[in-house]
Amino acid sequence: MKKILNYINGEWCPSSTGKFTPVLNPANGQVLAEVTQSTQEDVDRAVQAAKNAQKEWRLVPAPERADILYKVGYLLKERKEKLAQILTSEMGKVIEEGRGEVQEAIDMAFYVAGEGRRLFGDTVPSELRNKFAMSVRVPIGIAGLITPWNFPIAIASWKSLPALVTGNAVVWKPATETPMVAEEFVKIYEDAGLPKGLLNLVNGSGSVVGNAMVDHPDIDLISFTGSNEVGKEINGRAGALLKRTSLEMGGKNAITVLEDADLDLAVEGILWGAFGTAGQRCTATSRVIVHKDVKEELERKLLASIEGLKMGDGLDESVKVGPVINRSSLERIDEYVKIGQEEGAKLLTGGRIVSENGLDKGNFYAPTIFTDVTPEMRIAKEEIFGPVVSIIAVTSLEEAIEVNNSVEFGLSSAIYSADVNRIFQAMRDLDTGLVYVNAGTSGAEIHLPFGGTKGTGNGHRDSGVASLDVYTEWKSIYVDYSGKLQRAQIDNN
Ligand code: UN1
């Protein structure tokens, strides 16, 4: 059986417990590998290694750091297919999406490597004569990364690449469900020549390894993507230590379809948003807010198109909807469907665990559409993280925006319309970090900031230039070459 180890100070090693847990293929329950389960002791060792390595790394010119990240990009490209296959086997997304996710990491690597020759600060005029003023970015120290299973390599790339290019060292805990792709990503950094100690992989649970990282006095910041509940806990613990946290949490994203929309286009966007990655994206479409005049037609078109979505093992190229991550997730989704029915929503299609056609060994949930949902229902408010979408009827754009914004999350929203005036109004008023026009709620590109408002995050962003803010402090530097004491705000007024 393949064993997945930790990577600490440039060495692959089992954890101090010597314990391993199985890694399962969600499409068929097969054991793919065993992964080591670490403790605080392993985190301590990783932090020590990171600390030593960072002392030198911060002095390496950023373009030179970036040279290694370019190599990471090329190796990701070279190993794209292998990575996609591993990704699909351990987390279930269909292979086409697996390839797309690896592409996201490739894009990020080249983009961030380019930052090695930018990392812009400001030079500004001083208010005093013979004085020079500028601001520069400096690394914070050690970044603790806690990443989810749904985008196990893309999100790890969003966090590790900017952390490293800006001169930090990293301690990374991947999700327990996806250690195989994490191992491959670390091997790429290793093969690209990243000096030892700068990227340390510690496998294990959130409650043991995650907490040890959050509480560790020498980890300077935590970047986390995952559930709201865990994010709040991290924020509380880290806040008490005045530790920076960058949190990317839930979503309850909606597509608004106005009465003048291209309905066929909207149907494609809804199906892709709601059932792609079996609804397990932070950006998944879980609500459709539709003008009442086109509601029935939209429902008819959705039902006709949903027939074409083949379920099965994501490694089969013809499959469009793969399994959900594990049994408990499957049961939670089914529980939400029951709640929806009890709340009085009407089930249009789906609403059941699928076990026929040999799918009984995997975690398959039928693509599910509820209609006649009201904004107060739990299925319209809470994140389900599965292939379930709720249709809510409204009578105007204003009402649609109100419904869109009524949830506690604010990651992504989309509007389908042909009216430029109403589109611009929506762009202004939709309270989410991502807004799509005539496109679904997923599809973020890495050179723009990724993140959300309200309960989705705490104001930071992954990817794009904005991600540099998570991993750097600003240092403002004044150089007085007048040879005399010059008091700002006093001697010049
Ligand atoms: C996530 O769901 O956490 O826009 C990330 C998208 C992808 C990234 C999703 N590019 O859906």
Side-chain angles (χ1 to χ4, degrees):
M1 180 60 59
K2 181 179 168 53
K3 289 208 176 338
I4 298 174
L5 306 177
N6 288 338
Y7 184 73
I8 296 175
N9 206 23
E11 304 279 340
W12 292 96
C13 47
S15 75
S16 51
T17 63
K19 281 202 191 108
F20 285 83
T21 52
V23 183
L24 303 180
N25 181 334
N28 54 29
Q30 252 172 29
V31 180
L32 297 166
E34 286 183 330
V35 59
T36 196
Q37 288 301 305
S38 312
T39 62
Q40 184 178 349
E41 212 178 305
D42 303 297
V43 173
D44 286 343
R45 284 184 49 231
V47 172
Q48 199 47 53
K51 228 171 139 174
N52 293 339
Q54 200 261 339
K55 279 190 197 128
E56 166 56 20
W57 185 240
R58 78 182 183 91
L59 302 176
V60 173
E64 211 178 301
R65 293 181 208 139
D67 277 345
I68 298 171
L69 303 193
Y70 278 116
K71 286 190 195 122
V72 167
Y74 286 117
L75 289 171
L76 282 165
K77 224 172 143 114
E78 227 174 84
R79 301 180 195 172
K80 179 173 173 179
E81 185 58 29
K82 180 182 172 198
L83 288 163
Q85 300 268 342
I86 293 175
L87 213 154
T88 292
S89 339
E90 72 177 343
M91 77 66 64
K93 69 174 61 173
V94 301
I95 187 70
E96 195 183 10
E97 290 181 36
R99 292 181 189 121
E101 179 178 343
V102 179
Q103 188 58 46
E104 199 159 342
I106 297 169
D107 296 342
M108 189 69 189
F110 289 121
Y111 177 73
V112 171
E115 274 307 315
R117 287 189 184 269
R118 287 186 294 265
L119 291 182
F120 295 141
D122 294 316
T123 58
V124 291
S126 165
E127 63 188 46
L128 292 155
R129 286 178 189 235
N130 299 324
K131 194 173 174 186
F132 189 87
M134 64 185 157
S135 65
V136 295
R137 288 185 186 276
V138 293
I140 298 187
I142 302 180
L145 312 183
I146 303 177
T147 56
W149 50 262
N150 70 331
F151 276 83
I153 195 162
I155 292 179
S157 81
W158 290 357
K159 298 184 193 296
S160 59
L161 293 156
L164 289 166
V165 82
T166 49
N168 300 280
V170 168
V171 175
W172 175 27
K173 188 200 97 58
T176 42
E177 293 84 352
T178 50
M180 291 171 72
V181 78
E183 177 190 46
E184 294 298 325
F185 195 24
V186 172
K187 275 191 195 154
I188 284 177
Y189 274 111
E190 190 179 27
D191 293 347
L194 188 72
K196 67 180 184 142
L198 286 175
L199 174 65
N200 302 281
L201 177 76
V202 186
N203 283 292
S205 68
S207 57
V208 177
V209 175
N211 281 344
M213 287 167 66
V214 173
D215 295 339
H216 202 295
D218 291 331
I219 291 187
D220 302 284
L221 75 108
I222 296 285
S223 178
F224 164 81
T225 298
S227 75
N228 214 258
E229 199 189 338
V230 174
K232 277 186 189 147
E233 154 115 26
I234 289 176
N235 213 30
R237 294 171 89 116
L241 300 169
L242 291 183
K243 189 175 289 197
R244 180 179 297 185
T245 58
S246 168
L247 307 171
E248 191 56 58
M249 301 171 289
K252 189 70 192 172
N253 316 297
I255 290 182
T256 289
V257 183
L258 295 185
E259 68 278 26
D260 61 357
D262 176 338
L263 291 188
D264 293 318
L265 191 64
V267 162
E268 283 186 281
I270 293 165
L271 294 181
W272 168 237
F275 307 130
T277 328
Q280 304 168 108
R281 295 185 198 132
C282 307
T283 58
T285 306
S286 59
R287 298 179 294 157
V288 172
I289 302 168
V290 61
H291 193 282
K292 66 171 184 15
D293 291 353
V294 290
K295 174 173 174 276
E296 270 174 35
E297 195 183 344
L298 184 76
E299 288 173 0
R300 247 196 335 272
K301 285 179 184 284
L302 277 171
L303 283 177
S305 304
I306 209 170
E307 298 295 312
L309 294 182
K310 181 173 166 194
M311 286 201 95
D313 186 333
L315 288 175
D316 173 345
E317 304 268 354
S318 65
V319 162
K320 293 283 181 238
V321 183
V324 298
I325 190 71
N326 53 33
R327 217 64 212 172
S328 66
S329 190
L330 196 67
E331 280 155 18
R332 199 201 57 247
I333 295 163
D334 202 42
E335 192 56 35
Y336 265 110
V337 168
K338 296 206 174 82
I339 290 169
Q341 285 169 309
E342 279 158 23
E343 286 178 311
K346 184 172 151 205
L347 191 60
L348 272 187
T349 180
R352 65 186 185 90
I353 293 171
V354 177
S355 50
E356 62 270 21
N357 302 329
L359 298 186
D360 56 319
K361 299 235 159 41
N363 314 314
F364 291 94
Y365 205 85
T368 299
I369 305 181
F370 274 114
T371 191
D372 298 340
V373 175
T374 62
E376 297 74 37
M377 292 180 184
R378 282 183 63 193
I379 55 164
K381 291 199 293 205
E382 297 172 21
E383 185 172 46
I384 299 176
F385 226 63
V388 179
V389 67
S390 294
I391 299 178
I392 303 168
V394 292
T395 53
S396 65
L397 170 66
E398 287 68 23
E399 190 185 348
I401 289 172
E402 205 180 302
V403 172
N404 183 84
N405 294 350
S406 68
V407 293
E408 71 169 295
F409 303 108
L411 184 55
S412 184
S413 52
I415 178 154
Y416 283 81
S417 170
D419 176 348
V420 71
N421 293 353
R422 294 199 294 170
I423 286 171
F424 268 79
Q425 192 182 329
M427 281 158 52
R428 184 193 60 202
D429 295 338
L430 291 168
D431 185 8
T432 50
L434 310 167
V435 171
Y436 291 89
V437 177
N438 291 328
T441 53
S442 296
E445 301 175 27
I446 59 87
H447 44 302
L448 279 82
F450 182 95
T453 61
K454 301 188 285 185
T456 292
N458 65 338
H460 289 288
R461 293 290 184 266
D462 274 321
S463 87
V465 182
S467 65
L468 301 177
D469 294 336
V470 175
Y471 304 98
T472 54
E473 292 279 9
W474 281 112
K475 186 179 277 186
S476 299
I477 302 175
Y478 302 92
V479 183
D480 191 322
Y481 55 99
S482 70
K484 58 182 184 199
L485 173 68
Q486 297 199 86
R487 297 171 302 172
Q489 295 95 33
I490 296 171
D491 291 333
N492 49 338
N493 281 298

